[in-house]
Every structure is written in structure tokens, then in C-alpha cells.
Amino acid sequence: MKILKDFNLKDLNTFGVFVKSKLFFIIENENDLKNILNSEEFKKNNILFLGGGSNILFTKDFDGLVILNKLKGIEILKEDDINVWVKAFGGELWHDLVVFCVENNFWGIENMSLIPGTVGASPIQNIGAYGVELKDILESLESYEIDSGEKRIFNNTECNFGYRDSIFKNELKGKYFISSITVKLSKKNKLNTSYKVLEEYIKENNLKLETSKDVSDAVSLIRKSKLPDPKVLGNAGSFFKNVYIDQKKLNELLEKYPEMNYFNENEKIKIPTAWLIEKAGWKGRRVGNVGVHEKQALVLVNYGGADGVEMVNFANLIIDSVFEKFGISITPEVNLI
């Protein structure tokens, strides 16, 4: 078992922040996982499990053991005339799972194309895009309890999914390692293009979407047109969560900003945080090495050389500015370490 010391994590976080981990280990199979869980290095150090590094911002060196999930494999577990169950291991890139599914014309996952990160991290965040969330397709997941090393299966309900939230971000935070997930998809056409941006793109380009891959390709093109490539410009996708308000607050805002977009979702009112940030004057704005992307106000970018503290300070300027203008608190979607 090879544990590395003073390991540079710059290439393992999509912000490209230069930080080191005191200890570093790669899990390539379940025996690696069992071995590291039983090791003295694991028992005596702070632990951080790392996937694609696409939803994390390091603010300092990590004084502990970083464990990189490289468990690989995607397979069809079972199927019937209507549905198919696909299992993917945690170290797979999320988009690779999407590609596998849409190439087989399975429906249900296509709207979540090109979301950065790994399969193992997807349930923690309850990832979602263009009107679909992981909770809509997850059948179950396999995990290992960190303290005991025992394997446990969680069904969808047990994950306590919420908006960009799950049991693994709350009461079970840091207590389980997710080794694989199983999604239940449809073999029948389940076209879902009701999300406004996707619907408008289809109409503007006169697209006829017949397969799940057609939808996946459209979503991918939209994302590429709006979001910077982390390999070119350091970012973690959406830095902030969208916000939910009550009817009273909505009425107050509409009096001042009648043009404001809002959405009714499950008896809640969602305000796009990108609109709030843009209206507060931050879209495309840069301070030092950090800025808000010119095409998508939810995305904070590292223009090169920024550390995590500089990025957090910049984010706090935006948070304060939005609160001052609208009386609304916005919160990071990215995990701060």
C-alpha cells in the first residue's frame, strides 16, 4: 500500500488552486479501500475523500490524508421491457455514465449531461441540471461506513435528498464512502424539455429530438456555450445555489423589479441567483486574479494564481452586495475546505 507525502493537489481541483496534502492515497479497487480504512494513517489523520475535485475550493493545505476515488466500471445490472438498471462505480466521471446511457438510448439521465465531477460525489450534492436531479433516477447506492468498514446499501428515500442536499451533507457527513450507485432509467421515450433555457434553445435552433442522445447533445452544447472549460479557466461550475423565497418577499421584489424571472417549484418560489448577481453588477467583473464569468454569473473563475482565500474573499463581496441590494442571502454550492 503506497501512501504519498506532501502531495500537490493543483491538478486534482478544478479551480487549479495550489495546495498540498500531508498524505495522499489512491483507491483503485475495494481491497484498497478496506486496506486504507484499517491503516494507522487513516485512524490518526483528518480524512478527505476526493473525486473529480469539481465542487471543492481549498483555502489552505490539507493537514491529513486525501483519498482519491478511482473505482471504475459501468454495467447493466438488469432490465425489463420498460426499465433498465445501470450500476456505475464512484471513480467514474459522471459524464461518462451519461454517455454510456444515451448511447444505449436509455432515458432519464440525458438532461444532466456534462456535469463535472465523479459518480461517487453525485449523491452527496444531489446533482442536477435542466429540470432533472439525481434523486429522480437513483435506485440505490453502495457505501462503506468509515468507522467500521462495513458495507451498507442506501435506497433513494434513505438518502434524504433535497435541493443540492442529502443525508451525506448533514447527519452522515464524513461517515460514509460511496463506492457505487445504481440508476433506474427508461427504455421508452421520456422526453423532458420543459426547462426554460432548454426549451428556448430547441425552438431557436428548430431541433427535432428523437433520442436521449439528441437531448444530451443539445444540453452539452448549451453548457459549453455558457460555462468555461476548467482546463482553460479554473472554475467549479455554479459557485452559488439558487435561492427560494416566500410569496411576501416575491411581491416586494416584483414591485421594484417587475422583469425578474422566478419559478414555482413544489410550492416553493425559486429565484435564479445568477440574476441577482448580475443585477448587483458583478457579471464579468474581476478583482485581482478572481472574477465572475462574463457569460454566466453563477460561475466564479480563477484567472491564474489565485489561492482559496482570495476566492472566498471575492465570493463574500458578492454575498454582501446581493444582500444589501435585495435582502436575500445567497450561499455557496461549492464545498470550502
Side-chain angles (χ1 to χ4, degrees), residues 13 28 43 56 61-62 64 70 75 84 89 99 115 145 180 183 197 203 216-217 241 243 254 283 290 292 331:
N13 71 95
E28 295 183 307
K43 295 173 183 177
I56 194 169
D61 289 340
F62 188 75
K70 284 290 185 181
E75 61 179 322
V84 59
F89 282 87
V99 169
I115 293 178
E145 186 178 26
S180 68
V183 294
V197 174
K203 288 180 179 178
S216 175
D217 289 344
K241 298 178 184 179
V243 295
L254 288 176
K283 187 176 182 181
V290 187
V292 176
T331 57

Side-chain angles (χ1 to χ4, degrees), residues 105-222:
N105 203 28
F106 302 151
W107 291 84
I109 199 172
E110 59 280 356
N111 290 42
M112 292 191 283
S113 297
L114 223 61
I115 293 178
T118 56
V119 165
S122 63
I124 300 172
Q125 190 74 0
N126 182 27
I127 62 172
Y130 297 94
V132 178
E133 294 180 320
L134 181 66
K135 69 176 179 61
D136 300 323
I137 61 171
L138 185 96
E139 177 81 359
S140 63
L141 63 83
E142 294 181 357
S143 66
Y144 285 84
E145 186 178 26
I146 289 171
D147 287 344
S148 68
E150 293 183 0
K151 196 170 191 176
R152 176 178 171 183
I153 296 174
F154 288 81
N155 63 32
N156 187 304
T157 302
E158 290 171 325
C159 293
N160 289 352
F161 286 128
Y163 174 63
R164 301 298 175 266
D165 199 17
S166 72
I167 196 171
F168 305 106
K169 288 185 75 173
N170 296 291
E171 54 262 52
L172 296 185
K173 184 176 181 178
K175 295 183 178 180
Y176 282 86
F177 172 84
I178 298 170
S179 56
S180 68
I181 70 170
T182 297
V183 294
K184 180 184 177 182
L185 304 173
S186 175
K187 296 167 75 174
K188 307 292 185 179
N189 185 319
K190 282 198 171 184
L191 187 65
N192 177 3
T193 58
S194 59
Y195 196 81
K196 185 178 179 181
V197 174
L198 179 57
E199 187 178 42
E200 290 175 349
Y201 181 84
I202 293 168
K203 288 180 179 178
E204 288 171 3
N205 292 276
N206 195 27
L207 298 178
K208 186 177 181 181
L209 306 180
E210 298 180 343
T211 68
S212 60
K213 187 177 184 304
D214 292 339
V215 179
S216 175
D217 289 344
V219 169
S220 295
L221 286 171
I222 295 171

Side-chain angles (χ1 to χ4, degrees), residues 212-261:
S212 60
K213 187 177 184 304
D214 292 339
V215 179
S216 175
D217 289 344
V219 169
S220 295
L221 286 171
I222 295 171
R223 292 184 70 92
K224 287 177 180 177
S225 70
K226 292 187 173 185
L227 301 174
D229 184 347
K231 294 175 183 176
V232 178
L233 199 59
N235 74 92
S238 297
F239 192 92
F240 297 102
K241 298 178 184 179
N242 285 315
V243 295
Y244 289 89
I245 60 174
D246 59 24
Q247 187 65 46
K248 181 181 178 182
K249 185 64 179 179
L250 176 64
N251 293 339
E252 290 176 6
L253 289 171
L254 288 176
E255 283 186 15
K256 292 183 178 180
Y257 310 101
E259 78 283 6
M260 183 185 71
N261 286 326

Side-chain angles (χ1 to χ4, degrees), residues 5-108:
K5 296 181 179 180
D6 294 324
F7 190 84
N8 183 359
L9 300 173
K10 184 177 184 297
D11 294 333
L12 296 178
N13 71 95
T14 58
F15 273 116
V17 173
F18 180 87
V19 289
K20 289 184 178 181
S21 173
K22 184 173 75 172
L23 299 171
F24 180 80
F25 182 73
I26 299 176
I27 296 173
E28 295 183 307
N29 53 61
E30 296 194 46
N31 282 333
D32 286 342
L33 176 59
K34 293 174 183 177
N35 289 335
I36 196 65
L37 291 179
N38 291 321
S39 69
E40 286 299 310
E41 289 87 352
F42 187 91
K43 295 173 183 177
K44 293 181 178 179
N45 285 281
N46 295 321
I47 304 298
L48 176 65
F49 288 101
L50 194 61
S54 61
N55 196 47
I56 194 169
L57 175 58
F58 287 102
T59 61
K60 58 185 177 180
D61 289 340
F62 188 75
D63 185 26
L65 172 62
V66 169
I67 300 172
L68 183 65
N69 185 354
K70 284 290 185 181
L71 296 175
K72 297 288 187 177
I74 301 173
E75 61 179 322
I76 297 172
L77 285 184
K78 62 178 181 178
E79 57 186 307
D80 56 28
D81 291 340
I82 300 172
N83 298 307
V84 59
W85 288 259
V86 179
K87 178 178 180 178
F89 282 87
E92 290 284 352
L93 292 177
W94 173 260
H95 187 63
D96 287 348
L97 170 59
V98 175
V99 169
F100 175 90
C101 295
V102 300
E103 286 184 346
N104 284 282
N105 203 28
F106 302 151
W107 291 84

Side-chain angles (χ1 to χ4, degrees), residues 256-257 259 274-283 325-326:
K256 292 183 178 180
Y257 310 101
E259 78 283 6
W275 183 88
L276 298 172
I277 294 171
E278 182 174 353
K279 199 71 177 178
W282 287 95
K283 187 176 182 181
K325 188 173 183 66
F326 300 103

